[in-house]
Amino acid sequence: MARVGVEQSLTNVQDALRAKGYDVVELKQESDAQNCDCCVVTGLDSNVMGMADTVTKAPVIDANGLSADEVCQAVESRLQ
């Protein structure tokens, strides 16, 4: 099954993805995103300077305002 990186604070999303059979990895630091097929973030760390260094080519989903089920649907659609 696909490996999905999820920010630590999104425990409900982690639980929902695990229930669907995904291999869930907590994103605590940059290196955790490596080898993930998709990443889910809170969107709270907004990029004020407009600069970004990407550490993964995997799709990144902003979970801000989404339910755990909506995030699961977004993950599934991006991994097809």
Side-chain angles (χ1 to χ4, degrees):
M1 196 55 149
R3 183 180 179 116
V4 181
V6 182
E7 271 191 34
Q8 285 180 290
S9 61
L10 297 171
T11 53
N12 60 335
V13 172
Q14 291 175 16
D15 294 341
L17 288 169
R18 282 191 183 106
K20 291 187 175 279
Y22 289 99
D23 179 16
V24 177
V25 177
E26 279 192 9
L27 297 177
K28 299 176 188 172
Q29 55 193 18
E30 268 182 32
S31 61
D32 295 335
Q34 295 174 351
N35 302 321
C36 286
D37 299 306
C38 186
C39 294
V40 180
V41 298
T42 60
L44 294 178
D45 295 330
S46 63
N47 187 354
V48 177
M49 298 290 291
M51 299 165 38
D53 294 329
T54 56
V55 295
T56 182
K57 296 199 181 298
V60 176
I61 297 169
D62 182 355
N64 189 25
L66 300 178
S67 70
D69 287 334
E70 290 171 326
V71 172
C72 288
Q73 290 172 0
V75 168
E76 289 169 357
S77 69
R78 299 260 172 56
L79 294 178
Q80 289 180 349

